[in-house]
Amino acid sequence: MTPHPRQPRGPSIRMRLYAVALLLGLASFGLAVRAVDLQVVRRGFLQEQGQARFLRTVPIPVSRGSIFDRNGEPLAVSTPVESIWANPGVLLQHAERLPQLARALGIDAAELAASLRKRASRSFVYLQRQLAPAAAAEIMALDIPGVNEKREYKRYYPSGAVAAHVLGFTNIDDKGQAGLELAFDAALSGKPGAQRVIRDRRGRVVENVDMVEQPQPSRDLTLSIDRRIQYLAWRDLEHTVQEHGAASGSLVVMDVRSGEILAMVDQPGYNPNNINASEPGQRRNRAVTDVMEPGSVMKPFTIATALESGKWTPTTPVDTRPGTLRLDGHVIHDTRNHGLLDVTSVLTKSSNVGASKISLTLSASHMYDVLRRFGFGATSGSGFPGESAGVLPPPNTWSELRKATISYGYGVSVTALQLARAYAAIGNGGVLHTPTFIKGGGDAGVAVIDPQIADELVRMLETVVSPEGTALKAAIANYSVAGKTGTSHIASGGGYSNRYVSVFVGLAPGNDPRLVTVAVVKDPTRGSYYGGLVAAPLFAHVTAGALRLLDVPPDNVQHWYVGAPDNGMPIDAGGDAPDYAPDNDNYKEGAMP
């Protein structure tokens, strides 16, 4: 019997166990090394990478502060809206959903895809801004990966165009761009906060990690503006500009005692709720930014200088015959020969010749000083963005002719707000206030002329609003009015054109002025262009309404001129009243040096 060949002996069980143990040990060691590498050596890097994918610092929006009028009525508020944004990289991975998303957004699918591909390297792209929450909810209900929503705020102006030039407007990010929205942007905006959150792969917040920065709440703003007077001024200015075919207009109503601005309007206007439908020229607050040669509304400041000099009194005679005055080869005209007047009648009749003759007895430095004291040639301090300082040449440049023309409002440039401030000082016993748009924001004021001179000026200006004066149509039933007309040529091409600025500035009630109103109408092309026929009726209607709204008691119930506009009826700026003399601020071509 042949024996079987001997089989080779394999590894013993013990050896196999050693091998398995060795392999397990090596594997465990490798895992341990990897763990140390991941958790110790590369921990910071890996955490950064993970956080970069899921941890985000997101802003905490703050609602912009509201703006109210002096009676608590809202003028500007911010309403919550939703904006739709996307992570292009995530969204493009689901390109089959783009047509559905495009339909919901109301845009072309091809354009959406092309836009996303151009921005594929970004992690945040707006798809649509400032949607109503309900519309945004419909888009988010589609549950498209990479599409998210963000809470924002949109500015809304309940009064629309009525207060647009004062308030200004904000951009799509709710930042002030003009007007008081810009001037007080820091206070109205507050300061957004920031927090770290964890987002899932679809960009949804799944956990708030920690607060990075606490938000600082915004502040509300209460203006000196009275919405009722603002609307009245806006409506009547629009009516006057349209009736006379004027290029533009401005109107300012100010509290004489505090400098608080109760109304400020301009034409042409715009709707701040639809900025894209307006032009830059429509958005300019002309009452603050635009300057004009004001004409005879500057004569009271010439008279103030004369009274302060001690050389003149309200009854000092002034010979204006023959109605012209030749200076340096130029002729200054009145509309007719007024003959022998007194200083008061120079204002009553608005005599250019009379004002010029008075100015020739005064020093240029004294006239300049008085004008500067009243705030001309400098910004008013209101803080309104873009406010103009106007133009007041230094006195060492004044020739005799220039001194004369400045006496009746040529050779200087002013804004409507500067006129309001200066006349308010006359009505406030010679105390000049800094204009303010903030309720309770008025200052203590500074005395610029003697109270007795201020009172004399008010009494003299009351004669302008009389049958003998140039502004009968500025009269208000049961109230005395002190004011002055102005009709000036518009400078053009180094000379003066046959286009005009019609102005009236008035104080009411005359016995104890509470309000000053400045009415400016530029380039009226239909009907009259005189300040007494265009701007004076506008003043009367707005001021009468303001006095009534503020419950200012009448001071002259027995005083009413036949032919003056009824303060409850539509403006009639066309006809002349009995014994009415038109404003005679004529200025002939080439009269300026």
Side-chain angles (χ1 to χ4, degrees):
M1 182 174 186
T2 303
H4 290 289
R6 190 170 185 178
Q7 299 293 326
R9 295 183 62 185
S12 66
I13 294 176
R14 184 184 297 272
M15 291 298 292
R16 291 189 184 123
L17 290 176
Y18 284 154
V20 170
L22 179 61
L23 291 174
L24 290 175
L26 291 173
S28 299
F29 179 76
L31 290 174
V33 171
R34 183 59 173 166
V36 171
D37 177 55
L38 295 178
Q39 298 186 36
V40 178
V41 179
R42 304 176 63 190
R43 178 180 180 180
F45 170 77
L46 294 173
Q47 283 184 337
E48 289 179 3
Q49 292 299 306
Q51 290 174 357
R53 288 165 173 78
F54 298 103
L55 189 63
R56 294 285 186 271
T57 298
V58 297
I60 303 174
V62 176
S63 176
R64 190 174 180 85
S66 297
I67 301 178
F68 301 96
D69 86 332
R70 65 184 305 107
N71 300 311
E73 296 293 332
L75 297 176
V77 296
S78 288
T79 57
V81 291
E82 299 292 339
S83 290
I84 303 300
W85 65 276
N87 184 325
V90 175
L91 183 53
L92 287 171
Q93 293 175 11
H94 303 271
E96 74 281 356
R97 305 292 303 275
L98 290 182
Q100 184 183 18
L101 176 61
R103 284 193 299 271
L105 295 172
I107 59 178
D108 182 75
E111 291 181 1
L112 173 61
S115 176
L116 290 170
R117 281 192 289 270
K118 285 174 59 177
R119 297 165 175 82
S121 61
R122 302 183 187 180
S123 61
F124 182 100
V125 172
Y126 278 115
L127 298 179
Q128 205 160 82
R129 302 286 299 273
Q130 298 189 345
L131 291 172
E138 292 180 3
I139 296 173
M140 294 306 298
L142 299 175
D143 197 27
I144 299 174
V147 176
N148 308 277
E149 64 181 337
K150 176 184 177 183
R151 170 59 56 89
E152 294 186 311
Y153 295 90
K154 182 179 181 179
R155 206 61 163 167
Y156 174 65
Y157 302 94
S159 297
V162 171
H165 291 100
V166 171
L167 298 177
F169 54 91
T170 62
N171 62 13
I172 196 168
D173 294 314
D174 220 17
K175 295 297 182 183
Q177 300 297 294
L180 298 183
E181 291 276 29
L182 175 59
F184 294 94
D185 186 61
L188 290 167
S189 296
K191 187 176 181 181
Q195 65 178 349
R196 271 191 286 268
V197 300
I198 294 177
R199 295 185 185 274
D200 64 12
R201 65 185 182 88
R202 292 193 171 187
R204 295 173 298 195
V205 174
V206 295
E207 182 182 349
N208 293 324
V209 178
D210 61 0
M211 181 70 66
V212 176
E213 185 175 3
Q214 288 285 352
Q216 296 180 11
S218 59
R219 290 166 48 195
D220 293 337
L221 198 62
T222 299
L223 303 184
S224 59
I225 297 293
D226 188 314
R227 190 172 71 168
R228 303 167 301 171
I229 301 174
Q230 182 79 9
Y231 173 74
L232 177 64
W234 176 82
R235 182 195 66 186
D236 289 352
L237 177 64
E238 183 184 47
H239 173 88
T240 300
V241 167
Q242 291 178 354
E243 179 184 14
H244 290 277
S248 62
S250 298
L251 194 143
V252 179
V253 182
M254 180 188 290
D255 188 313
V256 166
R257 299 174 181 176
S258 66
E260 293 185 10
I261 297 168
L262 303 178
M264 179 180 283
V265 294
D266 293 280
Q267 285 292 329
Y270 73 99
N271 183 356
N273 296 307
N274 186 16
I275 291 297
N276 293 333
S278 63
E279 299 293 333
Q282 296 174 285
R283 302 193 288 265
R284 192 169 70 244
N285 187 349
R286 298 170 187 270
V288 176
T289 64
D290 285 17
V291 297
M292 60 186 166
E293 289 182 294
S296 288
V297 291
M298 295 298 285
K299 287 174 182 170
F301 306 103
T302 301
I303 304 304
T305 310
L307 298 177
E308 189 175 79
S309 73
K311 299 177 182 179
W312 301 84
T313 71
T315 58
T316 303
V318 184
D319 190 354
T320 67
R321 293 172 293 191
T324 59
L325 176 65
R326 181 172 292 275
L327 277 178
D328 297 339
H330 297 270
V331 180
I332 294 171
H333 294 259
D334 283 342
T335 51
R336 61 184 177 87
N337 182 4
H338 294 296
L340 186 64
L341 301 174
D342 60 17
V343 172
T344 298
S345 297
V346 168
L347 291 180
T348 310
K349 301 298 184 182
S350 197
S351 170
N352 295 339
V353 172
S356 298
K357 286 191 170 183
I358 291 172
S359 74
L360 294 177
T361 70
L362 307 172
S363 72
S365 59
H366 189 191
M367 288 179 62
Y368 177 86
D369 178 57
V370 170
L371 291 172
R372 286 289 292 182
R373 277 187 259 154
F374 275 100
F376 297 110
T379 56
S380 70
S382 71
F384 197 92
E387 180 179 354
S388 174
V391 176
L392 179 60
N396 59 357
T397 66
W398 294 15
S399 64
E400 292 291 274
L401 176 60
R402 170 156 288 191
K403 189 200 303 183
T405 58
I406 285 175
S407 76
Y408 59 94
Y410 282 92
V412 294
S413 296
V414 304
T415 66
L417 180 59
Q418 287 177 320
L419 285 174
R421 184 191 188 199
Y423 270 76
I426 294 175
N428 193 38
V431 176
L432 183 76
H433 286 287
T434 300
T436 179
F437 290 92
I438 305 302
K439 182 180 180 180
D443 61 6
V446 57
V448 294
I449 56 169
D450 186 273
Q452 182 178 346
I453 293 177
D455 184 66
E456 287 176 337
L457 283 172
V458 173
R459 303 285 77 80
M460 295 164 77
L461 289 170
E462 283 186 308
T463 67
V464 176
V465 190
S466 72
E468 293 76 34
T470 61
L472 182 58
K473 287 186 176 292
I476 300 173
N478 303 322
Y479 291 91
S480 59
V481 173
K484 187 68 190 76
T485 52
T487 310
S488 61
H489 286 256
I490 297 174
S492 175
Y496 288 87
S497 66
N498 287 320
R499 298 163 56 223
Y500 302 88
V501 177
S502 303
V503 186
F504 186 84
V505 187
L507 298 159
N511 290 334
D512 184 17
R514 287 284 308 279
L515 301 179
V516 59
T517 302
V518 177
V520 178
V521 180
K522 184 178 181 180
D523 196 16
T525 59
R526 287 195 293 269
S528 178
Y529 55 81
Y530 289 115
L533 287 172
V534 177
L538 172 60
F539 158 88
H541 199 258
V542 172
T543 307
L547 292 169
R548 182 173 62 250
L549 290 169
L550 296 174
D551 292 325
V552 177
D555 70 329
N556 204 6
V557 294
Q558 303 300 322
H559 184 61
W560 178 239
Y561 296 126
V562 175
D566 186 335
N567 63 10
M569 298 297 291
I571 297 173
D572 177 14
D576 291 350
D579 301 318
Y580 180 81
D583 185 17
N584 61 344
D585 304 323
N586 286 7
Y587 195 79
K588 301 301 182 183
E589 293 279 352
M592 281 296 293

